[in-house]
Amino acid sequence: MTAGAQPGLRLLLAEDVAINRELACAVLEAQGYEVAVAVDGEEAVTAVESAFAAGHGFDLVLMDVQMPGVDGLAATRRIRNLAGPARDVPIVAMTANVLPEQVEDLIRAGMDDHVGKPFKRQDLFATIGRWTEPGARQHHARPVPSAPPKVDPQILDADVLDGMRLRFGPERVDGLLDMLAGELSQRFRTAANDRSEIAHDAHAMVSAAGMLGFAGLSELCRELEAAAHAGGDLSPLIRRLEVQRSKALRAIRTIRAA
């Protein structure tokens, strides 16, 4: 056991990849921590809420950022909106290749810190120790970055999104944006020659992207689906899609952090 460790701390590990969960649990449990697991953001929110309601809340949450459905950012925002002490549980992101602007996204979502993936044991243990000290969130709190700039109108038609908010309510539309982000993060990961799967993924995104105001992404998915069925060259369309997907995900993070 590493010096300075605090055995007996209750941690929640939210990680969708089974082998990553097992490896992290092995490392944490060998250090003396008690570890519960969640396989996605939805389970993480439920676990935090239930544990604190039952009177045995977690001392810290280790939250993977990229998970299907409700991702780590969306889950963190929901935890910060819970009642009572559950909303103040320290949350540490686990993510790879973090850029400065991505760190701001983590902070805006309500995360306290982050560790890299693959993590270094000493860094992980030091981070856990720092954020489980009494009053750690007050002592170590970082200022929330200023409001992000408006989203590029070529990426998102704000009028369409505002209309959806008026019709269905902000909370439901925010949930739909989180779902769209999750879908975009998981789809189009197949081989470029798997035309059937590419067409399926593209078709799945046409309606949702368009209804939420991402008209350019919707139309590109429509083109990609047609080309996949027709036997056309997909490479240029897939390259354009990667750009559009990244911009759409960035736009959603900006909107949700505002």
Side-chain angles (χ1 to χ4, degrees), residues 198-221:
I198 289 172
H200 173 77
D201 284 348
H203 178 79
M205 292 292 93
V206 170
S207 177
M211 289 186 67
L212 289 169
F214 295 91
L217 176 62
S218 176
E219 183 56 35
L220 181 55
C221 286

Side-chain angles (χ1 to χ4, degrees), residues 65 73 93 95-115 142-145 250 253:
V65 173
L73 295 175
T95 185
N97 303 319
V98 184
L99 300 174
E101 58 268 26
Q102 292 172 316
V103 173
E104 291 189 359
D105 290 337
L106 302 181
I107 298 171
R108 288 195 186 99
M111 291 177 169
D112 297 299
D113 210 334
H114 70 278
V115 293
R142 288 185 277 186
V144 176
R250 178 68 180 174
R253 290 195 296 268

Side-chain angles (χ1 to χ4, degrees), residues 16-37:
D16 63 306
V17 180
I19 190 169
N20 290 346
R21 278 199 309 274
E22 290 302 313
L23 286 168
C25 281
V27 169
L28 293 166
E29 288 170 353
Q31 191 68 7
Y33 300 121
E34 179 184 342
V35 185
V37 298

Side-chain angles (χ1 to χ4, degrees), residues 16-217:
D16 63 306
V17 180
I19 190 169
N20 290 346
R21 278 199 309 274
E22 290 302 313
L23 286 168
C25 281
V27 169
L28 293 166
E29 288 170 353
Q31 191 68 7
Y33 300 121
E34 179 184 342
V35 185
V37 298
V39 301
D40 56 32
E42 188 73 44
E43 279 196 13
V45 176
T46 300
V48 169
E49 186 171 24
S50 299
F52 278 90
H56 49 81
F58 297 106
D59 296 293
L60 181 138
V61 177
L62 292 168
M63 184 79 75
D64 184 26
V65 173
Q66 295 186 358
M67 293 184 287
V70 178
D71 66 14
L73 295 175
T76 298
R77 284 190 288 265
R78 287 171 56 178
I79 290 171
R80 294 302 180 221
N81 285 323
L82 293 176
R87 67 188 303 164
D88 289 322
V89 62
I91 301 177
V92 174
M94 302 182 74
T95 185
N97 303 319
V98 184
L99 300 174
E101 58 268 26
Q102 292 172 316
V103 173
E104 291 189 359
D105 290 337
L106 302 181
I107 298 171
R108 288 195 186 99
M111 291 177 169
D112 297 299
D113 210 334
H114 70 278
V115 293
K117 291 177 69 177
F119 58 79
K120 296 179 180 179
R121 296 186 185 196
Q122 296 304 320
D123 291 345
L124 176 62
F125 299 151
T127 302
I128 292 172
R130 182 165 62 252
W131 289 102
T132 51
E133 295 172 352
R137 293 203 72 225
Q138 289 71 37
H139 295 158
H140 300 295
R142 288 185 277 186
V144 176
S146 57
K150 289 185 177 180
V151 176
D152 185 347
Q154 293 186 337
I155 303 301
L156 172 68
D157 186 333
D159 290 339
V160 172
L161 186 63
D162 288 344
M164 289 285 288
R165 290 185 187 281
L166 287 172
R167 184 175 181 184
F168 299 109
E171 185 174 339
R172 188 165 192 179
V173 173
D174 285 346
L176 291 170
L177 286 171
D178 290 341
M179 290 179 67
L180 178 61
E183 292 285 343
L184 287 173
S185 296
Q186 295 301 312
R187 292 188 182 273
F188 305 106
R189 300 300 185 188
T190 188
N193 60 356
D194 190 344
R195 292 179 173 273
S196 176
E197 189 64 24
I198 289 172
H200 173 77
D201 284 348
H203 178 79
M205 292 292 93
V206 170
S207 177
M211 289 186 67
L212 289 169
F214 295 91
L217 176 62

